[in-house]
Amino acid sequence: MPSPALPSAGDGPRSVDRALDLLDAVAEATGPVSAKALARRLGCSLSTVYNLLGPLTDRGHVLRTPHGYALGHRVPDLHRAYGRQLDVAPGLREALAEVRRATGAEAYFTAYRGGEISVVDSTVPVTDEAAPFAVGRERRAHATAHGKVLLSALPAPARRRYLERHGMPRLTERTITAPDAFEAELAGVRRTGLAVSVGEAERGFSCAAVPLAGALPGEARALSVSLPAEDYPRLRDRIAAVLVRAADRLSR
């Protein structure tokens, strides 16, 4: 049987999907990527790729360089707009940097919004690929301290929907995968105001998190840190105190 025709740049919603696939492919590349490589990645013709790259480049989502296509200036603009719509507290960047200086651990601002959890900002250098968490969608919320804080703040039906959609895969021998045990863990987070994950997402890392006030109904926010697992027992009390103080200042 002949292969179905691939959508062209003028096929309405399918074209939008294809353009977003193209943007994702550029984002996932380690550096500038050629149009031919993008066509191979998407399984479509080179002419289709060029048709889609045109408006993406014109709008600044993609940039053409001598070495291929890369993300454009519009991408960080969108990220700033995302933070603006979250109504991020003034001084958040400074607070993250202060937590980093006071604890020696990387600091993160995370949020639950629209049914998804994401890392919105952090002190991790963009070139650090070894860090356990990166800005973007969080896919291991059940195994992270910030995920526990955010999920503990949700009504039970919303929490169940999130966990049913994303699952609770076992990432290490410490990962909590039983719903009843996870609910007991979240009850402790609500009681103490502090969540901890010791090697649950990755064996070599621990993280701690506290909730942030000021979220809109149906949303939640958290302030967290991550550090090598062997350092956490020594710094545990200091980390908790620094996070609580920083969250209190941001909430005010």
Side-chain angles (χ1 to χ4, degrees), residues 102-119:
T103 64
E106 300 294 356
Y108 306 82
F109 168 61
T110 57
Y112 170 90
R113 191 185 194 203
E116 293 293 342
I117 289 174
S118 60
V119 178

Side-chain angles (χ1 to χ4, degrees), residues 19-187:
L20 293 175
D21 287 343
L22 182 61
L23 186 60
D24 285 342
V26 173
E28 291 165 4
T30 57
V33 57
S34 70
K36 288 183 179 179
L38 290 169
R40 288 194 298 270
R41 171 75 181 272
L42 270 64
C44 63
S45 69
L46 186 59
S47 61
T48 295
V49 166
Y50 278 124
N51 284 338
L52 294 171
L53 283 170
L56 288 173
T57 303
D58 290 343
R59 290 173 175 266
H61 296 289
V62 169
L63 174 70
R64 185 177 183 179
T65 78
H67 308 289
Y69 290 87
L71 293 178
H73 64 82
R74 185 62 180 143
V75 174
D77 289 345
L78 290 172
H79 184 256
R80 284 190 289 271
Y82 179 64
R84 213 165 42 243
Q85 291 183 6
L86 275 171
D87 192 23
V88 172
L92 173 67
R93 287 291 298 167
E94 292 79 4
L96 291 176
E98 183 178 336
V99 170
R100 175 70 175 83
R101 287 191 297 270
T103 64
E106 300 294 356
Y108 306 82
F109 168 61
T110 57
Y112 170 90
R113 191 185 194 203
E116 293 293 342
I117 289 174
S118 60
V119 178
V120 181
D121 205 351
S122 80
T123 59
V124 178
V126 294
T127 55
D128 185 357
E129 297 184 358
F133 309 114
V135 170
R137 183 185 295 181
E138 175 58 83
R139 301 181 185 276
R140 304 172 295 174
H142 68 294
T144 70
H146 52 259
K148 293 176 186 180
V149 163
L150 297 171
L151 291 171
S152 72
L154 300 182
R159 183 164 58 252
R160 282 196 298 270
R161 286 194 297 272
Y162 181 91
L163 293 173
E164 286 170 0
R165 187 165 66 252
H166 293 277
M168 297 176 64
R170 183 174 298 282
L171 304 173
T172 76
E173 66 279 2
R174 291 178 173 269
T175 308
I176 300 173
T177 59
D180 289 347
F182 191 65
E183 283 297 321
E185 179 84 357
L186 298 189

